[in-house]
Amino acid sequence: MIGNDIVDLQVAQKESNWNRPRFLQKVFTTEEREYIDTAPDKDKAVWLLWSKKESAYKIIVRHLQKRFFAPKELINTIDTTDSQDYQSKHLGLVTFGKFLIHTRSTITNSYIHTVAQEHSDFTNLNVDCFSIDKNEYPAQHQTTHHRVIQHYSIMTQSSANFRIKKSALKVPSLYAGDTKLKVQISTSHHGNYGGFALESTSLK
Amino acid sequence: MDKKELIEALKEVAQPYIQDEEAFRHMTEETNFIDDLKINSANLVDIILDVEDKFDIVIEDNEMEDMLTVKSTMAIISRKLQEK
């Protein structure tokens, strides 16, 4: 199972005020809040931990076959040796009950994109991020789906009629015509950025 | 507070965060904040905090779990108001 999540840092700053009273307490554990408190860039620390929870959540939904809102139960393992310079790919671990989720985040000054899966080898994951013209749902949705299909078409050198359909739990699947494909996908968008992860193991 | 007043109050809370005007105009108990109103999940935290402020209640962490729909949010608010 895979998951991914993207945070547009500029839009997050405008549309989400994590500084408001009780916000951090509702979302983060004591340990996570300590990490944020001591971070050189608190804004990035907040959205990094958030995107890790969100990407892991998408895997949990697939396992439990139900949706819920429990950000504090998705717990980031805090690495005390983390220098928080965020120069390269940032690896993480999120737990939820008995589940252990591995995450890999790409952190830029514009966005944070995290992909998640249940093992630590990320080489089978095809990942991409892109900008979206308009910060509006239809544009975000269309661009993101288009980019996944484009990527998959190039990857498989196929011009089949690919489509993305979502289940009742809003888990997306890739279809060729009416046939559901085995390849797993996860899509996300926020503000002017979109991203996806595509599990390519089944292609080999 | 009856059901109608409650849903109106909740509409006021949700309005700043909605991204689908059409769905918002037709908001009912069955409306899902994320699927229908296209509210992003970080703003769901804001909605919970705004609900606490507006109704002067405290929502515990384990009670947030179902707050994805208007219906379950109304149920939590009603219960909390009765407990007061």
Side-chain angles (χ1 to χ4, degrees), chain A residues 15-16 20-23 25-27 47 50 54 66-73 135 137 170 190, chain B residues 17 19 32 34-35 38 40-46 48-50 52-53 59 61 64-65 68:
Chain A
E15 295 180 0
S16 285
R20 71 180 285 191
R22 315 193 311 283
F23 187 100
Q25 284 90 328
K26 286 268 187 242
V27 175
W47 298 119
W50 173 269
E54 281 280 306
K66 69 160 192 166
R67 295 163 77 198
F68 54 92
F69 189 66
K72 255 166 125 168
E73 283 177 51
N135 177 13
Y137 184 81
K170 302 294 164 191
H190 178 234
Chain B
Y17 312 110
Q19 297 205 56
N32 182 298
I34 292 171
D35 298 346
K38 311 286 186 250
N40 89 53
S41 46
N43 284 141
L44 213 48
V45 183
D46 291 300
I48 291 163
L49 294 171
D50 291 346
E52 288 188 332
D53 291 341
I59 296 164
D61 292 339
M64 292 174 13
E65 216 173 295
L68 296 168

Side-chain angles (χ1 to χ4, degrees), chain B:
Chain B
M1 189 178 268
D2 67 25
K3 250 186 182 175
K4 213 177 151 192
E5 287 170 329
L6 191 52
I7 200 163
E8 281 310 311
L10 202 49
K11 257 187 130 163
E12 274 177 39
V13 169
Q15 189 162 26
Y17 312 110
I18 58 134
Q19 297 205 56
D20 190 321
E21 293 282 349
E22 184 69 15
F24 179 67
R25 275 199 296 276
H26 301 114
M27 186 172 127
T28 67
E29 277 187 62
E30 303 310 316
T31 301
N32 182 298
F33 290 125
I34 292 171
D35 298 346
D36 301 317
L37 303 180
K38 311 286 186 250
I39 291 171
N40 89 53
S41 46
N43 284 141
L44 213 48
V45 183
D46 291 300
I47 289 186
I48 291 163
L49 294 171
D50 291 346
V51 161
E52 288 188 332
D53 291 341
K54 193 176 182 87
F55 298 95
D56 192 25
I57 54 177
V58 176
I59 296 164
E60 306 297 335
D61 292 339
N62 58 359
E63 293 172 317
M64 292 174 13
E65 216 173 295
D66 294 325
M67 289 184 71
L68 296 168
T69 65
V70 171
K71 195 179 194 167
S72 49
T73 305
M74 283 169 68
I76 291 164
I77 298 169
S78 303
R79 200 178 66 229
K80 289 278 163 182
L81 289 177
Q82 268 169 18
E83 282 170 10
K84 267 171 95 170

